Amino acid sequence: MTHPRVAILGAGFGGLCMGIRLRRAGIGSFTIFEKAGGVGGTWRDNTYPGAGCDIPSHLYSFSFEKYSSWTRRYPRQPEILAYLERCADKYGLRPHLRLNTEITAMRYAGGVWRLTTASGEEHVADVVVSGVGQLNRPRLPDIPGVESFRGPWFHSARWDHGADLTCRRVAVIGTGSSAAQFIPEIAGVAERVLVFQRTPNWVIPKPDAAFGWPLRLAFHYLPPLQRAYRSYIYRRSENVLFPVLVNGWSARLVRRMALKHLEEQVPDPELRRRLTPGYPPGCKRIVIDSTIYPALSRPDVDLITEKIGRVTPAGVETVDGRLHEADVIVYATGFDTTGFLMPIEVTGRDGRDLHAQWSRGAEAYLGMAAPGFPNLFFLYGPNTNLGHNSIVFMLECQTRYVLGCVRELAARGARSMEVRPEAMAAWSGALSAALARTVWESGCQSWYKTRSGRVTNNWPARTTLYRRLTAAPNPRAYSFRT
Ligand code: NAP
């Protein structure tokens, strides 16, 4: 196979990065299927007030596509979306895009993948690369009565910009990274914001600031400066934040920093007590933000920590029987994260069902390949999410690896490659041992885990190790068919 037909699912950071890699390698036989009407993935979907990224701009971008237009240290959603649009244009990806085309099923048969779209069309590909992400399906809580509420209600990742919050009572359910970004934006606009917190988060300051024009000019005219700055942020994340996740040297430092931040920003000791987590930092995603505590301290914002009993037409009722009346409800309750390619039906060799194979928790060799599913690769797949660094770095490692696989197939004149069960078993064993050393196993509940407590989403080591492991495919880990 000299130039396999490659189907890429999703036009977010991962899918676009894969397309760019293929184009730059001179491979033009690929299509990017995107269910929505534009590129950008999560950065197209999440438009809530204040949406942005808590990883610095120069690291939350492709290493090969330096960008001197970042206006701030931490990018806001419109800037990230503009960056991705620009990448799609600059690297000639538009002709490869099939927008508004949702893949609902794919089946490996006769040595090829047959992909079915929601409208019933069929496409054939030799290689499939999934770039659907881990945070693409908003999750509503299993609280009774959600549908009964009489006012507008919506999920933070599908913000209803038509709902006017001015002088309304807004109930917000959830206090993760998304809520921490939009609560400060709506407080003061709404008459009252009622924040329902189930578990407090560790919060560390976000030293955001606009770049002044001299620095922007310097970034523009001195590319080595951008490289050096990016490298500095990357190393800081690896050397200071990663050890927190394995109870290393900086765990106490970050805990102290977070408690100091809380003490400085929340004068009321009772409120501080309710905002103090009872689990180690990093067990859940650390919130990086300097605006949420002042917002929660406002007189027109209430923090409610009583468990929610149900939603009624008039508001949110807590289990103590109290009705908290509201005009609008925003669910900042996260995503279905452990289903990975759900709800796409994925049928591999000999009729194997991917979701059945993953029924006790998703797993993939290097996070990218599963036995029984030849020529299928996952970007941002099982155990490749990060709690401490930029996911764009991982995506670059993965797309380089997948390109290596495509080249390996061509070099061998092979039709397919499939990870060997022995390689998968060795990988799973090493991964479990590494996960056992992390704070994610310390008992808290988070989106990194299945309901039964298996960590299926996170990478438990430094990203430098991941880069080494994925430098090139090891042919001994795969069986090839010609
Ligand atoms: P999340 O972190 O999963 O937070 C969901 C929130 O909803 C939690 O506070 C959770 O409480 C609460 N919740 C869920 N079900 C509930 C229920 N039945 N009753 C009461 N509360 C309930 O979701 P997210 O804030 O959307 O963030 C998801 C991830 O997206 C982040 O961790 C991060 O990786 C990414 N993100 C990143 C950025 C960024 O700046 N890079 C910004 C936004 C999001 P419990 O804690 O008790 O479960």
Short mmCIF file of all heavy atoms in Angstrom, two decimals, residues 196-252:
data_model
loop_
_atom_site.label_atom_id
_atom_site.label_comp_id
_atom_site.label_asym_id
_atom_site.label_seq_id
_atom_site.Cartn_x
_atom_site.Cartn_y
_atom_site.Cartn_z
N PHE A 196 -23.92 25.47 43.40
CA PHE A 196 -24.07 24.20 44.11
C PHE A 196 -22.77 23.41 43.99
O PHE A 196 -22.40 22.97 42.91
CB PHE A 196 -25.25 23.41 43.53
CG PHE A 196 -26.57 24.05 43.84
CD1 PHE A 196 -27.06 25.08 43.06
CD2 PHE A 196 -27.30 23.64 44.95
CE1 PHE A 196 -28.26 25.69 43.36
CE2 PHE A 196 -28.51 24.26 45.27
CZ PHE A 196 -28.99 25.28 44.48
N GLN A 197 -22.09 23.26 45.13
CA GLN A 197 -20.80 22.55 45.14
C GLN A 197 -20.97 21.19 45.82
O GLN A 197 -21.45 21.12 46.95
CB GLN A 197 -19.77 23.37 45.91
CG GLN A 197 -18.46 22.62 46.16
CD GLN A 197 -17.53 23.38 47.09
OE1 GLN A 197 -16.77 24.23 46.65
NE2 GLN A 197 -17.59 23.07 48.37
N ARG A 198 -20.57 20.13 45.11
CA ARG A 198 -20.62 18.81 45.74
C ARG A 198 -19.28 18.52 46.43
O ARG A 198 -19.24 18.03 47.55
CB ARG A 198 -20.92 17.74 44.69
CG ARG A 198 -21.19 16.38 45.26
CD ARG A 198 -21.82 15.45 44.27
NE ARG A 198 -20.96 15.13 43.14
CZ ARG A 198 -21.29 14.31 42.16
NH1 ARG A 198 -22.47 13.71 42.17
NH2 ARG A 198 -20.47 14.06 41.17
N THR A 199 -18.18 18.85 45.74
CA THR A 199 -16.84 18.60 46.31
C THR A 199 -15.99 19.84 46.04
O THR A 199 -15.96 20.32 44.90
CB THR A 199 -16.17 17.40 45.61
OG1 THR A 199 -17.14 16.37 45.39
CG2 THR A 199 -15.00 16.85 46.39
N PRO A 200 -15.27 20.35 47.05
CA PRO A 200 -14.41 21.51 46.76
C PRO A 200 -13.20 21.11 45.91
O PRO A 200 -12.80 19.94 45.91
CB PRO A 200 -13.94 21.96 48.15
CG PRO A 200 -14.46 20.99 49.14
CD PRO A 200 -15.23 19.92 48.45
N ASN A 201 -12.65 22.08 45.19
CA ASN A 201 -11.48 21.83 44.35
C ASN A 201 -10.26 22.53 44.91
O ASN A 201 -10.38 23.57 45.56
CB ASN A 201 -11.73 22.40 42.94
CG ASN A 201 -12.66 21.52 42.15
OD1 ASN A 201 -12.30 20.43 41.75
ND2 ASN A 201 -13.88 21.99 41.95
N TRP A 202 -9.09 21.99 44.60
CA TRP A 202 -7.86 22.73 44.85
C TRP A 202 -7.74 23.78 43.77
O TRP A 202 -7.89 23.46 42.58
CB TRP A 202 -6.66 21.79 44.83
CG TRP A 202 -6.59 20.91 46.04
CD1 TRP A 202 -6.97 19.60 46.12
CD2 TRP A 202 -6.13 21.27 47.33
NE1 TRP A 202 -6.78 19.12 47.39
CE2 TRP A 202 -6.25 20.13 48.16
CE3 TRP A 202 -5.62 22.45 47.90
CZ2 TRP A 202 -5.89 20.13 49.51
CZ3 TRP A 202 -5.26 22.44 49.23
CH2 TRP A 202 -5.39 21.30 50.03
N VAL A 203 -7.46 25.01 44.19
CA VAL A 203 -7.37 26.11 43.22
C VAL A 203 -6.02 26.80 43.41
O VAL A 203 -5.66 27.17 44.54
CB VAL A 203 -8.50 27.15 43.46
CG1 VAL A 203 -8.43 28.28 42.44
CG2 VAL A 203 -9.88 26.48 43.41
N ILE A 204 -5.27 26.94 42.33
CA ILE A 204 -4.01 27.70 42.41
C ILE A 204 -4.10 28.92 41.49
O ILE A 204 -4.89 28.93 40.55
CB ILE A 204 -2.76 26.83 42.09
CG1 ILE A 204 -2.84 26.24 40.68
CG2 ILE A 204 -2.55 25.75 43.13
CD1 ILE A 204 -1.56 25.49 40.26
N PRO A 205 -3.32 29.96 41.77
CA PRO A 205 -3.47 31.20 41.00
C PRO A 205 -3.10 31.03 39.53
O PRO A 205 -2.25 30.20 39.19
CB PRO A 205 -2.49 32.17 41.67
CG PRO A 205 -2.05 31.53 42.93
CD PRO A 205 -2.30 30.06 42.83
N LYS A 206 -3.76 31.82 38.71
CA LYS A 206 -3.46 31.84 37.28
C LYS A 206 -2.87 33.23 36.99
O LYS A 206 -3.60 34.22 36.98
CB LYS A 206 -4.75 31.62 36.51
CG LYS A 206 -4.62 31.68 35.00
CD LYS A 206 -5.98 31.29 34.41
CE LYS A 206 -6.12 31.52 32.97
NZ LYS A 206 -7.46 31.15 32.48
N PRO A 207 -1.56 33.30 36.79
CA PRO A 207 -0.94 34.62 36.61
C PRO A 207 -1.14 35.14 35.19
O PRO A 207 -0.19 35.31 34.43
CB PRO A 207 0.53 34.34 36.90
CG PRO A 207 0.72 32.89 36.57
CD PRO A 207 -0.59 32.20 36.73
N ASP A 208 -2.40 35.37 34.85
CA ASP A 208 -2.72 35.81 33.48
C ASP A 208 -2.42 37.31 33.33
O ASP A 208 -2.49 38.06 34.29
CB ASP A 208 -4.21 35.55 33.20
CG ASP A 208 -4.52 35.67 31.72
OD1 ASP A 208 -3.58 35.67 30.91
OD2 ASP A 208 -5.72 35.76 31.38
N ALA A 209 -2.06 37.69 32.12
CA ALA A 209 -1.84 39.12 31.83
C ALA A 209 -1.77 39.26 30.32
O ALA A 209 -1.42 38.30 29.62
CB ALA A 209 -0.54 39.60 32.44
N ALA A 210 -2.12 40.44 29.85
CA ALA A 210 -1.98 40.70 28.41
C ALA A 210 -0.49 40.90 28.11
O ALA A 210 0.25 41.40 28.96
CB ALA A 210 -2.77 41.95 28.05
N PHE A 211 -0.05 40.46 26.92
CA PHE A 211 1.32 40.75 26.51
C PHE A 211 1.35 42.19 26.01
O PHE A 211 0.51 42.58 25.19
CB PHE A 211 1.75 39.84 25.35
CG PHE A 211 1.94 38.40 25.74
CD1 PHE A 211 1.30 37.38 25.04
CD2 PHE A 211 2.81 38.04 26.78
CE1 PHE A 211 1.49 36.06 25.38
CE2 PHE A 211 3.00 36.71 27.13
CZ PHE A 211 2.34 35.72 26.43
N GLY A 212 2.29 42.97 26.50
CA GLY A 212 2.45 44.34 25.99
C GLY A 212 2.99 44.28 24.56
O GLY A 212 3.55 43.26 24.14
N TRP A 213 2.83 45.40 23.83
CA TRP A 213 3.27 45.35 22.43
C TRP A 213 4.77 45.13 22.27
O TRP A 213 5.20 44.46 21.32
CB TRP A 213 2.76 46.55 21.62
CG TRP A 213 3.27 47.89 22.06
CD1 TRP A 213 2.64 48.77 22.88
CD2 TRP A 213 4.51 48.49 21.70
NE1 TRP A 213 3.41 49.87 23.07
CE2 TRP A 213 4.57 49.74 22.35
CE3 TRP A 213 5.58 48.12 20.90
CZ2 TRP A 213 5.66 50.59 22.23
CZ3 TRP A 213 6.67 48.97 20.77
CH2 TRP A 213 6.70 50.19 21.44
N PRO A 214 5.66 45.63 23.20
CA PRO A 214 7.09 45.35 22.98
C PRO A 214 7.38 43.84 23.01
O PRO A 214 8.14 43.32 22.19
CB PRO A 214 7.77 46.06 24.15
CG PRO A 214 6.79 47.09 24.62
CD PRO A 214 5.45 46.50 24.36
N LEU A 215 6.69 43.13 23.93
CA LEU A 215 6.92 41.68 24.03
C LEU A 215 6.36 40.97 22.80
O LEU A 215 6.97 40.05 22.25
CB LEU A 215 6.28 41.15 25.32
CG LEU A 215 6.66 39.73 25.71
CD1 LEU A 215 8.18 39.55 25.79
CD2 LEU A 215 6.04 39.36 27.05
N ARG A 216 5.19 41.43 22.34
CA ARG A 216 4.61 40.79 21.15
C ARG A 216 5.51 40.98 19.94
O ARG A 216 5.69 40.08 19.13
CB ARG A 216 3.20 41.34 20.90
CG ARG A 216 2.21 40.82 21.92
CD ARG A 216 0.83 41.33 21.70
NE ARG A 216 0.27 40.89 20.43
CZ ARG A 216 -0.92 41.26 19.99
NH1 ARG A 216 -1.66 42.05 20.71
NH2 ARG A 216 -1.36 40.83 18.84
N LEU A 217 6.08 42.18 19.85
CA LEU A 217 7.01 42.42 18.73
C LEU A 217 8.25 41.53 18.87
O LEU A 217 8.74 40.96 17.89
CB LEU A 217 7.46 43.89 18.72
CG LEU A 217 6.47 44.88 18.12
CD1 LEU A 217 7.05 46.29 18.17
CD2 LEU A 217 6.15 44.50 16.67
N ALA A 218 8.70 41.40 20.11
CA ALA A 218 9.89 40.57 20.34
C ALA A 218 9.60 39.12 19.96
O ALA A 218 10.40 38.45 19.30
CB ALA A 218 10.32 40.67 21.80
N PHE A 219 8.39 38.62 20.34
CA PHE A 219 8.02 37.25 19.96
C PHE A 219 7.97 37.11 18.44
O PHE A 219 8.33 36.10 17.87
CB PHE A 219 6.65 36.89 20.55
CG PHE A 219 6.70 36.45 22.00
CD1 PHE A 219 5.72 36.89 22.90
CD2 PHE A 219 7.68 35.61 22.46
CE1 PHE A 219 5.74 36.49 24.23
CE2 PHE A 219 7.72 35.20 23.80
CZ PHE A 219 6.74 35.65 24.68
N HIS A 220 7.50 38.19 17.79
CA HIS A 220 7.34 38.13 16.34
C HIS A 220 8.69 38.10 15.62
O HIS A 220 8.91 37.30 14.71
CB HIS A 220 6.50 39.32 15.88
CG HIS A 220 6.19 39.29 14.43
ND1 HIS A 220 5.31 38.37 13.89
CD2 HIS A 220 6.66 40.02 13.38
CE1 HIS A 220 5.24 38.56 12.58
NE2 HIS A 220 6.05 39.54 12.25
N TYR A 221 9.58 38.99 16.07
CA TYR A 221 10.83 39.12 15.32
C TYR A 221 11.96 38.22 15.83
O TYR A 221 12.98 38.10 15.18
CB TYR A 221 11.27 40.59 15.32
CG TYR A 221 10.39 41.41 14.41
CD1 TYR A 221 9.46 42.31 14.93
CD2 TYR A 221 10.44 41.25 13.03
CE1 TYR A 221 8.62 43.04 14.10
CE2 TYR A 221 9.59 41.96 12.19
CZ TYR A 221 8.69 42.85 12.73
OH TYR A 221 7.85 43.55 11.90
N LEU A 222 11.74 37.63 17.01
CA LEU A 222 12.80 36.78 17.55
C LEU A 222 12.24 35.37 17.83
O LEU A 222 11.92 35.03 18.97
CB LEU A 222 13.34 37.36 18.87
CG LEU A 222 14.03 38.72 18.80
CD1 LEU A 222 14.29 39.25 20.20
CD2 LEU A 222 15.35 38.58 18.04
N PRO A 223 12.09 34.56 16.80
CA PRO A 223 11.53 33.22 17.02
C PRO A 223 12.24 32.43 18.14
O PRO A 223 11.58 31.70 18.87
CB PRO A 223 11.66 32.54 15.66
CG PRO A 223 11.72 33.67 14.68
CD PRO A 223 12.37 34.82 15.38
N PRO A 224 13.56 32.58 18.30
CA PRO A 224 14.19 31.83 19.40
C PRO A 224 13.62 32.20 20.77
O PRO A 224 13.61 31.38 21.68
CB PRO A 224 15.67 32.22 19.31
CG PRO A 224 15.86 32.68 17.91
CD PRO A 224 14.57 33.30 17.50
N LEU A 225 13.11 33.45 20.87
CA LEU A 225 12.53 33.87 22.15
C LEU A 225 11.26 33.05 22.43
O LEU A 225 11.03 32.58 23.55
CB LEU A 225 12.21 35.37 22.11
CG LEU A 225 11.62 35.94 23.40
CD1 LEU A 225 12.66 35.93 24.51
CD2 LEU A 225 11.12 37.36 23.17
N GLN A 226 10.44 32.87 21.39
CA GLN A 226 9.22 32.06 21.55
C GLN A 226 9.59 30.64 21.95
O GLN A 226 8.97 30.04 22.81
CB GLN A 226 8.46 31.98 20.21
CG GLN A 226 7.53 33.11 19.98
CD GLN A 226 6.42 32.71 18.99
OE1 GLN A 226 5.74 31.72 19.17
NE2 GLN A 226 6.24 33.52 17.97
N ARG A 227 10.62 30.11 21.27
CA ARG A 227 11.04 28.73 21.57
C ARG A 227 11.50 28.61 23.01
O ARG A 227 11.14 27.68 23.72
CB ARG A 227 12.18 28.32 20.64
CG ARG A 227 11.70 27.55 19.41
CD ARG A 227 12.83 26.77 18.77
NE ARG A 227 13.93 27.61 18.34
CZ ARG A 227 13.92 28.34 17.22
NH1 ARG A 227 12.86 28.32 16.44
NH2 ARG A 227 14.96 29.07 16.89
N ALA A 228 12.29 29.60 23.44
CA ALA A 228 12.83 29.54 24.80
C ALA A 228 11.72 29.66 25.83
O ALA A 228 11.69 28.95 26.83
CB ALA A 228 13.85 30.66 24.98
N TYR A 229 10.76 30.54 25.55
CA TYR A 229 9.65 30.74 26.49
C TYR A 229 8.81 29.46 26.59
O TYR A 229 8.47 29.00 27.68
CB TYR A 229 8.80 31.93 26.02
CG TYR A 229 7.60 32.22 26.89
CD1 TYR A 229 7.74 32.40 28.26
CD2 TYR A 229 6.33 32.32 26.33
CE1 TYR A 229 6.63 32.66 29.06
CE2 TYR A 229 5.22 32.58 27.12
CZ TYR A 229 5.38 32.75 28.48
OH TYR A 229 4.29 33.00 29.26
N ARG A 230 8.51 28.87 25.42
CA ARG A 230 7.74 27.63 25.40
C ARG A 230 8.46 26.54 26.19
O ARG A 230 7.87 25.82 26.99
CB ARG A 230 7.54 27.20 23.93
CG ARG A 230 6.73 25.94 23.78
CD ARG A 230 6.68 25.54 22.30
NE ARG A 230 6.15 24.20 22.16
CZ ARG A 230 4.90 23.92 21.85
NH1 ARG A 230 4.03 24.87 21.64
NH2 ARG A 230 4.49 22.67 21.76
N SER A 231 9.75 26.45 25.95
CA SER A 231 10.53 25.41 26.61
C SER A 231 10.53 25.64 28.14
O SER A 231 10.41 24.69 28.92
CB SER A 231 11.93 25.45 26.02
OG SER A 231 12.81 24.84 26.84
N TYR A 232 10.60 26.91 28.55
CA TYR A 232 10.58 27.21 29.98
C TYR A 232 9.25 26.77 30.61
O TYR A 232 9.23 26.12 31.66
CB TYR A 232 10.82 28.72 30.19
CG TYR A 232 10.34 29.22 31.52
CD1 TYR A 232 11.01 28.90 32.69
CD2 TYR A 232 9.16 29.99 31.61
CE1 TYR A 232 10.54 29.34 33.92
CE2 TYR A 232 8.70 30.42 32.84
CZ TYR A 232 9.38 30.10 33.99
OH TYR A 232 8.91 30.51 35.19
N ILE A 233 8.12 27.07 29.94
CA ILE A 233 6.81 26.71 30.52
C ILE A 233 6.68 25.18 30.57
O ILE A 233 6.17 24.61 31.52
CB ILE A 233 5.62 27.24 29.69
CG1 ILE A 233 5.81 28.68 29.23
CG2 ILE A 233 4.32 27.12 30.44
CD1 ILE A 233 4.86 29.04 28.09
N TYR A 234 7.14 24.54 29.51
CA TYR A 234 7.04 23.08 29.43
C TYR A 234 7.82 22.44 30.59
O TYR A 234 7.31 21.57 31.30
CB TYR A 234 7.57 22.60 28.07
CG TYR A 234 7.70 21.11 27.98
CD1 TYR A 234 6.57 20.32 27.77
CD2 TYR A 234 8.93 20.49 28.13
CE1 TYR A 234 6.67 18.94 27.72
CE2 TYR A 234 9.04 19.11 28.08
CZ TYR A 234 7.91 18.34 27.88
OH TYR A 234 8.02 16.97 27.84
N ARG A 235 9.06 22.90 30.77
CA ARG A 235 9.89 22.31 31.83
C ARG A 235 9.32 22.58 33.22
O ARG A 235 9.36 21.73 34.10
CB ARG A 235 11.31 22.88 31.76
CG ARG A 235 12.13 22.21 30.71
CD ARG A 235 13.39 22.99 30.42
NE ARG A 235 13.74 22.82 29.02
CZ ARG A 235 14.37 21.76 28.56
NH1 ARG A 235 14.75 20.80 29.35
NH2 ARG A 235 14.63 21.64 27.26
N ARG A 236 8.75 23.76 33.40
CA ARG A 236 8.15 24.09 34.71
C ARG A 236 7.00 23.12 35.00
O ARG A 236 6.87 22.60 36.10
CB ARG A 236 7.65 25.53 34.67
CG ARG A 236 7.28 26.09 36.01
CD ARG A 236 6.71 27.47 35.89
NE ARG A 236 5.59 27.50 34.94
CZ ARG A 236 4.99 28.60 34.52
NH1 ARG A 236 5.40 29.77 34.93
NH2 ARG A 236 3.97 28.55 33.68
N SER A 237 6.18 22.84 33.96
CA SER A 237 5.05 21.92 34.17
C SER A 237 5.56 20.53 34.50
O SER A 237 5.04 19.85 35.39
CB SER A 237 4.18 21.84 32.91
OG SER A 237 3.76 23.11 32.55
N GLU A 238 6.58 20.10 33.78
CA GLU A 238 7.12 18.75 34.01
C GLU A 238 7.76 18.63 35.38
O GLU A 238 7.59 17.65 36.09
CB GLU A 238 8.18 18.41 32.95
CG GLU A 238 7.63 18.08 31.60
CD GLU A 238 6.75 16.83 31.60
OE1 GLU A 238 7.26 15.71 31.61
OE2 GLU A 238 5.53 17.02 31.57
N ASN A 239 8.54 19.66 35.75
CA ASN A 239 9.37 19.52 36.94
C ASN A 239 8.68 19.96 38.24
O ASN A 239 9.05 19.49 39.30
CB ASN A 239 10.68 20.31 36.77
CG ASN A 239 11.49 19.72 35.62
OD1 ASN A 239 11.41 18.52 35.37
ND2 ASN A 239 12.20 20.56 34.90
N VAL A 240 7.67 20.82 38.12
CA VAL A 240 7.00 21.27 39.35
C VAL A 240 5.62 20.63 39.48
O VAL A 240 5.28 20.10 40.53
CB VAL A 240 6.89 22.81 39.40
CG1 VAL A 240 6.22 23.25 40.70
CG2 VAL A 240 8.27 23.46 39.26
N LEU A 241 4.84 20.65 38.39
CA LEU A 241 3.47 20.14 38.53
C LEU A 241 3.40 18.61 38.49
O LEU A 241 2.64 18.00 39.24
CB LEU A 241 2.57 20.72 37.42
CG LEU A 241 2.08 22.15 37.66
CD1 LEU A 241 1.14 22.58 36.56
CD2 LEU A 241 1.37 22.26 39.02
N PHE A 242 4.23 17.98 37.64
CA PHE A 242 4.11 16.52 37.58
C PHE A 242 4.36 15.84 38.94
O PHE A 242 3.58 14.97 39.34
CB PHE A 242 5.01 15.89 36.49
CG PHE A 242 4.95 14.41 36.55
CD1 PHE A 242 3.79 13.74 36.14
CD2 PHE A 242 5.97 13.67 37.13
CE1 PHE A 242 3.68 12.37 36.28
CE2 PHE A 242 5.86 12.30 37.26
CZ PHE A 242 4.71 11.64 36.83
N PRO A 243 5.40 16.22 39.69
CA PRO A 243 5.64 15.53 40.97
C PRO A 243 4.44 15.58 41.93
O PRO A 243 4.28 14.70 42.77
CB PRO A 243 6.85 16.27 41.55
CG PRO A 243 7.54 16.84 40.35
CD PRO A 243 6.47 17.19 39.38
N VAL A 244 3.57 16.60 41.78
CA VAL A 244 2.39 16.69 42.65
C VAL A 244 1.53 15.43 42.45
O VAL A 244 0.93 14.90 43.40
CB VAL A 244 1.55 17.94 42.28
CG1 VAL A 244 0.26 18.01 43.08
CG2 VAL A 244 2.37 19.20 42.46
N LEU A 245 1.51 14.92 41.22
CA LEU A 245 0.61 13.81 40.89
C LEU A 245 1.10 12.47 41.41
O LEU A 245 0.38 11.48 41.40
CB LEU A 245 0.41 13.74 39.37
CG LEU A 245 -0.05 15.07 38.73
CD1 LEU A 245 -0.19 14.93 37.23
CD2 LEU A 245 -1.38 15.53 39.35
N VAL A 246 2.37 12.43 41.82
CA VAL A 246 2.91 11.17 42.37
C VAL A 246 3.44 11.41 43.79
O VAL A 246 4.33 10.70 44.23
CB VAL A 246 4.02 10.60 41.45
CG1 VAL A 246 3.44 10.04 40.17
CG2 VAL A 246 5.09 11.65 41.12
N ASN A 247 2.83 12.38 44.46
CA ASN A 247 3.23 12.70 45.83
C ASN A 247 4.71 13.01 45.95
O ASN A 247 5.36 12.60 46.92
CB ASN A 247 2.89 11.54 46.77
CG ASN A 247 1.53 11.76 47.36
OD1 ASN A 247 1.22 12.88 47.78
ND2 ASN A 247 0.71 10.71 47.36
N GLY A 248 5.23 13.69 44.95
CA GLY A 248 6.66 14.01 44.93
C GLY A 248 6.97 15.30 45.67
O GLY A 248 6.13 15.82 46.43
N TRP A 249 8.15 15.84 45.40
CA TRP A 249 8.68 16.95 46.20
C TRP A 249 7.76 18.18 46.24
O TRP A 249 7.69 18.88 47.24
CB TRP A 249 10.08 17.36 45.70
CG TRP A 249 10.04 18.12 44.39
CD1 TRP A 249 10.06 17.56 43.15
CD2 TRP A 249 9.94 19.53 44.20
NE1 TRP A 249 9.98 18.53 42.19
CE2 TRP A 249 9.91 19.76 42.81
CE3 TRP A 249 9.86 20.63 45.05
CZ2 TRP A 249 9.81 21.03 42.25
CZ3 TRP A 249 9.76 21.90 44.50
CH2 TRP A 249 9.74 22.09 43.11
N SER A 250 7.04 18.44 45.14
CA SER A 250 6.27 19.69 45.09
C SER A 250 4.85 19.55 45.62
O SER A 250 4.10 20.53 45.63
CB SER A 250 6.26 20.22 43.66
OG SER A 250 5.84 19.20 42.79
N ALA A 251 4.45 18.34 46.05
CA ALA A 251 3.07 18.15 46.50
C ALA A 251 2.74 19.09 47.67
O ALA A 251 1.70 19.76 47.67
CB ALA A 251 2.84 16.70 46.91
N ARG A 252 3.67 19.18 48.63
CA ARG A 252 3.40 20.06 49.78
C ARG A 252 3.45 21.52 49.39
O ARG A 252 2.68 22.34 49.88
CB ARG A 252 4.37 19.75 50.90
CG ARG A 252 3.95 18.45 51.60
CD ARG A 252 4.92 17.94 52.57
NE ARG A 252 5.21 18.86 53.66
CZ ARG A 252 6.19 18.67 54.54
NH1 ARG A 252 6.96 17.61 54.44
NH2 ARG A 252 6.39 19.53 55.50
#
